[in-house]
Amino acid sequence: MSIAVTPQRIGSLLRPRSVALVGAADKSGFSLMAYRNLVEFGLAGHTHLVNRRGAPAHGRATVTSCTQIGEPVDLAFMMVPQAATLDALSDAAAAGIRHALVLSSGYADAGQAGQRAQADLVAHAEALGMLLAGPNHLGFANFVDQVPVTAIPGLPRAAGPVALVSQSGMAASAMLDFATMTGVGLSYLITLGNEAMIAAGHVLGYLAGDPRTRAIALFLE
């Protein structure tokens, strides 16, 4: 079952009211930064920490499964190793989560075995009815609605008219720094990674109809 990646579905992914950080851990710099961004944007109460071993993270208790969160969650940020990602997606889907960001690399960026793993990832997500961004990316920041789900540091609080879309998370981070330095305000910062399900064209289709975005900057490899 293929999933229609419509502007409406992209909009739902980019406007989550609540987020699960799956694989939340103090030893993960990605987890630390993603959590810090959400807290700084005032979303601590809508952020849920999931750790398979139940170890506390970022000074908070965690749950071992998304199904234990006890309230609806719109988006899961998967910060688990590639080998654990399929099970993590199944767990999120069981909790009713319909959107996921997959941080892990080792997919189409890593040769034939990785390409097979990416095909399996997409097939699994489609079977679960989940739309996923990535893999091998750093998430997104929606400055229009003040929702950052990203491990990129140094996010501005004010929204501007320029959307920044990048396959590379590291390049996005560098361009964000340059935008901040030159006074260019951003409406969105979106990293795509391997584009397994959501491609640049899908994001462009959404942004082209967004009234708060007047220009779109693309970094594509």
Side-chain angles (χ1 to χ4, degrees):
M1 178 189 75
S2 65
I3 291 176
V5 187
T6 61
Q8 291 77 16
R9 192 80 192 258
I10 296 284
S12 295
L13 177 125
L14 293 173
R15 287 193 302 273
R17 291 157 301 184
S18 53
V19 177
L21 298 182
V22 180
D26 285 335
K27 68 176 190 283
S28 165
F30 294 117
S31 176
L32 202 61
M33 184 52 62
Y35 181 68
R36 183 179 298 160
N37 283 335
L38 286 158
V39 169
E40 286 180 355
F41 276 67
L43 298 171
H46 300 280
T47 301
H48 307 278
L49 306 182
V50 183
N51 178 293
R52 200 161 49 91
R53 291 186 296 278
H58 317 321
R60 283 179 50 180
T62 65
V63 293
T64 58
S65 165
C66 291
T67 60
Q68 296 169 353
I69 291 170
E71 60 183 80
V73 174
D74 296 321
L75 176 67
F77 193 3
M78 301 286 176
M79 299 177 290
V80 299
Q82 186 216 42
T85 299
L86 296 185
D87 286 344
L89 283 176
S90 295
D91 179 69
I97 301 172
R98 296 178 66 237
H99 303 99
L101 313 181
V102 179
L103 177 83
S104 177
S105 58
Y107 288 98
D109 50 288
Q112 284 191 319
Q115 288 171 357
R116 286 193 296 272
Q118 184 161 305
D120 291 344
L121 177 72
V122 171
H124 191 64
E126 288 182 338
L128 296 169
M130 291 183 79
L131 180 67
L132 63 85
N136 188 31
H137 75 140
L138 292 178
F140 68 85
N142 170 353
F143 300 110
V144 171
D145 300 295
Q146 295 285 289
V147 185
V149 193
T150 180
I152 293 174
L155 302 179
R157 290 302 303 271
V162 180
L164 175 56
V165 182
S166 173
Q167 280 175 324
S168 160
M170 294 306 290
S173 183
M175 288 186 286
L176 169 66
D177 290 345
F178 186 73
T180 301
M181 191 171 68
T182 54
V184 175
L186 301 181
S187 56
Y188 295 87
L189 170 65
I190 301 170
T191 70
L192 299 167
N194 294 1
E195 300 184 84
M197 288 180 76
I198 297 174
H202 296 126
V203 174
L204 268 176
Y206 171 78
L207 293 172
D210 176 58
R212 294 288 296 273
T213 298
R214 297 213 308 273
I216 302 167
L218 293 168
F219 180 80
L220 305 177
E221 296 170 31

